[in-house]
Amino acid sequence: MLDERDRKILEILQADAGTSVTELADRVALSVSACSRRIQRLEESGHIVRRIVVLDREKMGVPTTVYAMIKTAHHADEWIEAFRKAIGDIPEIVEAHRLTGNYDYILKIVLPRVEHYDVIYKQLVRKVELFDVSASISMEELKGGASVPVGYVQ
């Protein structure tokens, strides 16, 4: 069971995984060693899966976001594995989700410019058969990031 200090540690690390243990300990009113033990426990329990660096997409040359909604006529395990491999081989596809509703999958694709979407589309359809693909261009990111709320954890 996690307490408020654990939740605060998780919140701070989500905002900046590079926060030093010394600063973190100070912000949650713990000794450095106690804070370090808590972080280790949170990693061992799986609450902290990994620590990553978030890159500036503009500076990395991929400021454009396209969401591709996919329908497929195939739902066999073999097709799903081929699809999983195909999207895994395309670094511009940064997220993929299986959905309920009118579409089977949604892909988040980051690109240098919108015209590059056709390159990614062709790479994907060469690897797996798709029934329908509909793409939407993100005009503006209103909220982004990978943070999850910490208030629900028990």
Side-chain angles (χ1 to χ4, degrees):
M1 190 115 121
L2 303 186
D3 63 18
E4 277 308 307
R5 282 191 173 131
D6 292 325
R7 287 184 187 89
K8 187 68 176 170
I9 289 169
L10 292 172
E11 197 172 81
I12 293 167
L13 288 176
Q14 276 194 110
D16 183 1
T19 303
S20 72
V21 178
T22 304
E23 180 184 341
L24 196 54
D26 185 52
R27 290 177 63 184
V28 297
L30 286 170
S31 70
V32 172
S33 59
C35 187
S36 182
R37 283 193 301 274
R38 281 182 183 244
I39 294 168
Q40 184 177 3
R41 183 175 44 81
L42 291 165
E43 289 172 335
E44 290 170 355
S45 67
H47 288 89
I48 297 174
V49 177
R50 69 180 192 267
R51 299 186 198 193
I52 62 169
V53 172
V54 178
L55 304 177
D56 182 305
R57 288 189 27 212
E58 190 81 34
K59 289 181 180 174
M60 298 307 296
V62 287
T64 304
T65 303
V66 172
Y67 290 93
M69 285 72 69
I70 295 173
K71 290 182 184 179
T72 180
H74 305 283
H75 299 281
D77 290 344
E78 300 81 33
W79 184 91
I80 293 170
E81 283 309 309
F83 181 67
R84 189 183 307 269
K85 179 168 180 4
I87 62 177
D89 289 343
I90 301 172
E92 291 86 352
I93 299 174
V94 296
E95 284 186 38
H97 300 269
R98 190 165 58 91
L99 305 173
T100 62
N102 295 329
Y103 290 94
D104 297 304
Y105 299 91
I106 187 168
L107 308 178
K108 180 179 180 182
I109 306 168
V110 297
L111 303 166
R113 60 190 184 288
V114 73
E115 294 82 6
H116 193 74
Y117 170 70
D118 191 49
V119 173
I120 304 307
Y121 171 82
K122 288 176 181 174
Q123 285 179 16
L124 187 58
V125 298
R126 281 188 204 112
K127 296 178 180 187
V128 290
E129 183 181 347
L130 303 174
F131 177 74
D132 182 45
V133 180
S134 176
S136 294
I137 302 162
S138 172
M139 299 298 291
E140 176 185 12
E141 183 179 277
L142 301 176
K143 182 178 180 180
S147 295
V148 298
V150 300
Y152 296 99
V153 67
Q154 299 272 328

